[in-house]
């Protein structure tokens, strides 16, 4: 991506727990000509692992002494945990959202990558560090060092079918008030305004709760919540965000049965025109490509903002699932060189073109983007505040409590105030537990 101002980038800089640094910081490459075998394990999600495997084949061709095995699974983290515990990890890993990479760092399982970043880039002049968008690169820093590295990233927001909206004369809502007015028109047309991935409530955390808390209370409201500031999860901004989610339920805006649907089922209902909008990340097109009904189209929009709120209306929540080099892998130096090749500008552009993803490599969006990637890329370039949901990796128990409380609220079993009280109680338990590290957003 193009270089953008570090408006809220510092918000991703994790100022660490001051424990001892047990991880390695330098590596020794294999001897010239020595035959080595690299193992890569990656999360096999919407973007698959085919381009990782093809890049590995190309790297093998350039380095005849190296053979590479690329594997992956939708729940690859389950296979990786016992391997880290037994100190037999792969050489390069992309564990996805199901593994706490900061926990691995604290256990001495990750290699610090600053020395490698300050080395030569795979292509062109300058350092490898210079090729990354610094806004996103900073997310992988802790205790003044770089522990994990980005590859692609996702933009979180809502999606609609522009053909359906044009047919009915609807305009995508930019504000909460516009959403309420439009929602009634959509209902009158016999369509549900919204559906959601009820079996995976974290879509609502990133698609509604945090964006609306940010819109109402500004970036500090979300930052305080992630930093476990006392009372932050039941602040006026967080309460109003919960009320907005609940009000859509009361108004009958959600597609009936959404709570029981998984991600693809709810997204399929949206694609079939049963619901006008759905919250999801920018992976939606790739995830549903082989299920798209004839004539269906999708376009990205930011969640409608609260008029008069403290937050910046261009604020954008992104999701980065980093790659890492295990400190106890057999061939860390060669793993670094492989990932350096995978993040070269030419390979980054290929990923953008073929997968429709956005990449953390500067200039990688200077290609012909998929139609569905144009709006997310534009939103990122124009955003004055970029932030991420960091706490779900730091505090998985808090994430689970929020998900359960959201489900109860959407069932009508909890009021918005009770939702906030329940989440704050869990945050307080974590806050006062001295055995849990407490990272901080700067």
């Amino acid at each position: 991506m193009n270089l953008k101002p570090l408006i809220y980038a510092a918000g991703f800089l994790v100022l660490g727990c001051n424990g001892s640094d047990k991880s390695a910081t330098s590596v020794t490459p294999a001897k010239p000509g020595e035959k080595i075998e690299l193992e890569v394990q990656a999360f096999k999600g919407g973007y698959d692992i085919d381009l990782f495997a093809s890049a590995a084949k190309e790297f093998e061709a350039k380095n005849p002494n190296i053979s590479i095995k690329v594997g992956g699974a939708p729940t690859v983290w389950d296979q990786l945990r016992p391997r880290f515990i037994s100190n037999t990890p792969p050489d390069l890993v992309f564990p996805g959202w199901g593994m706490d990479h900061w926990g691995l760092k604290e256990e001495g399982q990750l290699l610090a990558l600053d020395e490698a970043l300050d080395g030569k880039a795979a292509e062109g002049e300058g350092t490898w560090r210079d090729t990354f968008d610094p806004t996103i690169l900073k997310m992988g820093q802790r205790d003044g060092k770089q522990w994990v590295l980005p590859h692609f990233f996702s933009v979180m927001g809502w999606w609609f079918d522009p053909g359906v909206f044009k047919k009915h004369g609807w305009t995508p809502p930019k504000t909460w008030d516009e959403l309420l007015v439009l929602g009634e028109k959509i209902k009158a047309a016999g369509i549900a305004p919204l559906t959601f991935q009820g079996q995976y409530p974290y879509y609502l955390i990133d698609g509604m709760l945090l964006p609306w808390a940010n819109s109402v209370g500004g970036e500090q409201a979300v930052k305080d919540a992630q930093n476990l500031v006392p009372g932050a999860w039941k602040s006026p901004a967080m309460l109003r965000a919960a009320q907005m989610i609940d009000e859509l339920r009361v108004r009958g805006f959600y597609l009936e049965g959404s709570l029981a649907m998984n991600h693809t089922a709810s997204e399929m209902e949206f694609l079939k025109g049963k619901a006008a909008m759905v919250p999801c990340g920018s992976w939606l097109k790739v995830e549903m490509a082989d299920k798209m009904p004839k004539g269906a189209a999708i376009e990205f929009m930011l969640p409608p903002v609260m008029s008069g709120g403290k937050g910046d209306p261009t604020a954008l929540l992104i999701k980065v699932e980093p790659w890492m080099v295990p400190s106890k892998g057999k061939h860390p130096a060669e793993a670094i060189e492989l990932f350096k090749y995978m993040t070269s500008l030419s390979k980054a552009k290929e990923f953008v073109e073929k997968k429709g993803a956005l990449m953390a490599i500067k200039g990688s969006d200077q290609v012909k983007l998929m139609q569905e990637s144009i709006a997310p890329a534009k939103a990122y370039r124009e955003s004055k505040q970029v932030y991420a949901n960091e706490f779900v990796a730091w505090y998985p128990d808090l994430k689970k409590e929020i998900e359960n409380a959201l489900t109860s609220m959407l069932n009508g079993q909890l009021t918005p105030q009770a939702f906030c009280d329940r989440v704050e109680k869990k945050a307080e338990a974590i806050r006062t537990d001295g055995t849990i590290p407490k990272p901080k957003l700067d």
Side-chain angles (χ1 to χ4, degrees):
M1 296 296 297
N2 292 328
L3 178 64
K4 63 190 282 91
L6 300 183
I7 302 295
Y8 186 47
F12 303 129
L13 180 57
V14 186
L15 302 180
C17 314
N18 297 317
S20 60
D21 184 357
K22 299 176 287 185
S23 300
T25 58
S26 62
V27 296
T28 302
K31 297 176 182 178
E34 179 183 347
K35 297 290 185 180
I36 65 172
E37 294 182 358
L38 285 181
E39 183 186 359
V40 180
Q41 289 293 330
F43 169 58
K44 191 174 184 178
Y47 295 124
D48 209 334
I49 62 172
D50 55 323
L51 290 189
F52 307 150
S54 63
K57 288 294 183 186
E58 295 166 8
F59 189 78
E60 283 180 334
K62 295 174 182 289
N63 301 272
N65 64 309
I66 297 177
S67 61
I68 306 171
K69 175 186 175 182
V70 178
T75 55
V76 69
W77 48 84
D78 287 334
Q79 287 80 55
L80 288 173
R81 285 193 186 99
R83 296 191 60 181
F84 276 105
I85 292 172
S86 64
N87 294 324
T88 59
D91 299 289
L92 180 66
V93 297
F94 165 37
W97 57 267
M99 179 168 279
D100 177 12
H101 49 276
W102 293 125
L104 292 175
K105 182 267 175 190
E106 292 300 321
E107 294 168 4
Q109 293 280 5
L110 300 184
L111 184 75
L113 299 166
D114 298 273
E115 183 177 335
L117 283 169
D118 292 331
K120 191 178 183 302
E123 296 176 346
E125 302 298 324
T127 67
W128 190 23
R129 185 188 301 277
D130 292 336
T131 67
F132 288 94
D133 183 326
T135 303
I136 300 176
L137 190 65
K138 280 185 177 290
M139 293 185 190
Q141 295 178 3
R142 193 170 189 174
D143 299 335
K145 294 178 183 178
Q146 191 83 36
W147 300 99
V148 296
L149 291 174
H151 187 258
F152 66 82
F153 68 95
S154 302
V155 173
M156 306 302 296
W158 290 14
W159 295 83
F160 67 99
D161 187 325
V164 172
F165 270 57
K166 183 177 180 180
K167 174 185 175 182
H168 292 277
W170 300 333
T171 300
K174 293 183 178 180
T175 68
W176 170 252
D177 291 337
E178 290 176 3
L179 173 63
L180 297 184
V181 172
L182 176 63
E184 297 299 337
K185 294 179 181 178
I186 294 173
K187 283 177 60 181
I191 302 172
L194 283 156
T195 186
F196 59 89
Q197 304 82 347
Q199 291 185 20
Y200 302 103
Y202 59 79
Y203 281 87
L204 294 180
I205 298 176
D206 288 351
M208 294 184 183
L209 184 66
L210 295 186
W212 282 340
N214 194 325
S215 178
V216 173
E219 62 183 273
Q220 195 65 45
V222 173
K223 190 185 297 184
D224 286 349
Q226 299 206 71
N227 284 341
L228 300 185
V229 172
W233 281 102
K234 60 178 182 179
S235 68
M238 200 63 70
L239 174 60
R240 184 68 186 107
Q243 290 170 338
M244 292 162 76
I245 295 172
D246 189 56
E247 184 172 345
L248 298 182
R249 176 191 66 84
V250 173
R251 288 174 176 265
F253 279 16
Y254 298 126
L255 178 67
E256 186 175 352
S258 292
L259 263 175
M261 296 180 193
N262 65 15
H263 56 305
T264 54
S266 61
E267 291 156 16
M268 194 67 232
E269 293 300 288
F270 158 68
L271 292 173
K272 290 191 299 186
K274 299 290 184 66
M277 294 170 284
V278 64
C280 193
S282 49
W283 60 79
L284 178 61
K285 172 59 186 292
V286 174
E287 183 170 71
M288 302 299 288
D290 61 347
K291 301 179 180 70
M292 291 277 287
K294 186 177 179 180
I298 60 173
E299 189 168 327
F300 176 85
M301 59 179 275
L302 290 173
V305 300
M306 176 61 70
S307 298
K310 295 180 180 179
D312 191 295
T314 70
L316 186 68
L317 195 158
I318 70 172
K319 191 176 187 67
V320 180
E321 297 171 10
W323 288 69
M324 54 208 72
V325 179
S327 60
K328 296 171 185 176
K330 294 180 180 178
H331 305 289
E334 289 73 22
I336 288 170
E337 290 304 311
L338 170 60
F339 193 60
K340 187 180 290 188
Y341 176 71
M342 291 170 61
T343 55
S344 63
L345 182 57
S346 59
K347 299 309 296 179
K349 285 183 174 181
E350 178 187 6
F351 201 91
V352 172
E353 287 184 305
K354 292 185 176 180
K355 297 297 185 181
L358 301 178
M359 291 284 290
I361 305 303
K362 289 185 280 187
S364 58
D365 60 342
Q366 301 305 302
V367 296
K368 184 176 181 180
L369 295 169
M370 285 186 183
Q371 181 63 37
E372 296 80 9
S373 299
I374 293 174
K378 183 174 184 287
Y380 182 77
R381 285 194 297 266
E382 295 180 353
S383 178
K384 296 176 183 177
Q385 182 207 340
V386 177
Y387 65 108
N389 178 347
E390 302 271 22
F391 80 88
V392 294
W394 301 341
Y395 312 119
D397 287 348
L398 179 58
K399 168 182 173 286
K400 189 64 178 176
E401 185 72 356
I402 295 173
E403 289 178 334
N404 291 340
L406 276 172
T407 298
S408 294
M409 186 171 72
L410 289 165
N411 269 326
Q413 298 169 332
L414 278 184
T415 66
Q417 184 64 64
F419 165 83
C420 289
D421 290 342
R422 177 172 166 178
V423 176
E424 176 63 26
K425 182 179 179 180
K426 187 64 175 182
E428 172 66 14
I430 295 171
R431 184 186 306 123
T432 55
D433 187 336
T435 66
I436 301 176
K438 309 298 190 303
K440 296 294 181 183
L441 296 175
D442 183 12

